[in-house]
Amino acid sequence: MTFPPKLGYFVNQISQNMKDTFTHKGMRKKLVGVLEKKGILDKNVLAAIGRIPRHLFMDSGFVGHAYVDKAFPIAADQTISQPYTVARQTELLEVKKGDKILEIGTGSGYQAAVLLEMGVRLYTIERQNELFKKTKLFLPKLGYKPKRLIFGDGYIGLADEAPFDGIIVTAGAPYVPQPLLAQLKIGAKLVIPVGENVQIMTVFTRKSEKEFEKEEFGEFRFVPLLEDKN
Ligand code: SAH
């Protein structure tokens, strides 16, 4: 290699790193099988996970682990959620094509990609600037285009775009932020893991202006939904 290397060298490196090979596809198919065995029923969720190159959402050192059902570290001390958790939360959200959905905690953008694969209009908020910037550049490279990717505080939701057909929180909330309930359409759901060390996956369905139905779906572990923005 000559020095400095030619531009083509870098372009080639980028495309090498962005590859989705036959091996990746095979591993992904197995992961979908694992999720089915663990009880994920929604065919649209499984199909989306089957299409998304999860290894590209992780730092290269972890590529070999991308298709096991585990959470992994990403930048800024955060994690890409476990595939089962992503699948379960998405299933509970009960999205339809064209729905207007708000996600709190963009992180790596993987959950966002699952929702975009399912044809939703996505608004997503991230409070860590480093992750926000990284994911804002990365998602469109894979063809995933949220309506808005916002650097902000998920506790307050997104009043100027409300109401939503669904809201999904992908970090552990010590309590349920009231603005998120207020930003649901009638009939819409808020899927939120609630708790300090361990979280209970909780779904609120807005029955009327003032009434919400609450259902609980077992224990999960998330990184915390933080109140102060960096
Ligand atoms: N959906 C992500 C999961 C990332 S982990 C994925 O698929 O990769 C949770 C994310 O929530 C982290 O990126 C964290 O920085 C973010 N977060 C924490 N507190 C937040 C807040 N108050 N508002 C918005 N995002 C927050």
Side-chain angles (χ1 to χ4, degrees):
M1 188 172 79
T2 55
F3 197 84
K6 293 197 182 77
L7 180 62
Y9 171 78
F10 290 111
V11 172
N12 193 35
Q13 284 302 299
I14 292 166
S15 56
Q16 287 288 323
N17 293 342
M18 293 286 283
K19 256 189 188 160
D20 187 29
T21 64
F22 197 66
T23 312
H24 292 125
K25 291 190 177 95
M27 287 158 84
R28 207 142 68 225
K29 213 169 163 187
K30 282 202 187 121
L31 172 63
V32 168
V34 168
L35 297 179
E36 268 182 304
K37 281 213 187 77
K38 289 189 178 178
I40 302 299
L41 299 170
D42 189 323
K43 295 285 177 218
N44 294 328
V45 173
L46 293 168
I49 288 176
R51 280 194 294 269
I52 300 169
R54 186 170 186 261
H55 61 284
L56 300 181
F57 291 75
M58 299 163 73
D59 293 333
S60 53
F62 290 116
V63 159
H65 303 275
Y67 298 107
V68 290
D69 189 25
K70 288 207 171 121
F72 271 104
I74 50 173
D77 286 333
Q78 300 303 321
T79 58
I80 177 170
S81 303
Q82 183 179 345
Y84 174 76
T85 305
V86 172
R88 189 71 183 116
Q89 277 197 283
T90 312
E91 185 170 70
L92 289 171
L93 197 60
E94 292 181 14
V95 299
K96 296 182 307 299
K97 213 173 167 179
D99 277 356
K100 185 174 187 178
I101 301 293
L102 175 64
E103 178 193 23
I104 309 299
T106 317
S108 69
Y110 181 71
Q111 171 73 71
V114 171
L115 290 164
L116 289 164
E117 273 287 346
M118 295 173 74
V120 314
R121 291 175 291 144
L122 186 69
Y123 297 76
T124 179
I125 305 179
E126 173 57 51
R127 70 173 277 287
Q128 298 257 14
N129 203 10
E130 184 191 341
L131 273 173
F132 162 76
K133 286 195 280 193
K134 193 173 169 187
T135 303
K136 196 179 171 76
L137 285 177
F138 171 70
L139 273 180
K141 283 189 190 155
L142 294 186
Y144 294 119
K145 300 194 177 80
K147 290 278 176 206
R148 285 174 70 188
L149 205 154
I150 295 142
F151 174 51
D153 180 7
Y155 274 93
I156 58 174
L158 194 59
D160 63 336
E161 297 286 355
F164 294 94
D165 295 304
I167 302 180
I168 179 169
V169 179
T170 69
Y175 61 90
V176 181
Q178 292 307 302
L180 300 185
L181 289 172
Q183 290 171 22
L184 290 174
K185 282 185 192 169
I186 309 287
K189 291 178 191 297
L190 166 64
V191 179
I192 180 168
V194 186
E196 303 270 354
N197 299 320
V198 174
Q199 292 82 35
I200 307 291
M201 190 61 74
T202 311
V203 177
F204 292 90
T205 308
R206 187 167 204 169
K207 293 291 180 189
S208 68
E209 207 46 49
K210 294 218 169 104
E211 286 164 291
F212 294 86
E213 180 188 88
K214 178 182 169 185
E215 295 164 281
E216 294 183 337
F217 295 91
E219 288 185 359
F220 290 78
R221 274 173 203 275
F222 286 80
V223 294
L225 186 67
L226 298 169
E227 299 211 44
D228 308 307
K229 191 156 58 171
N230 292 4

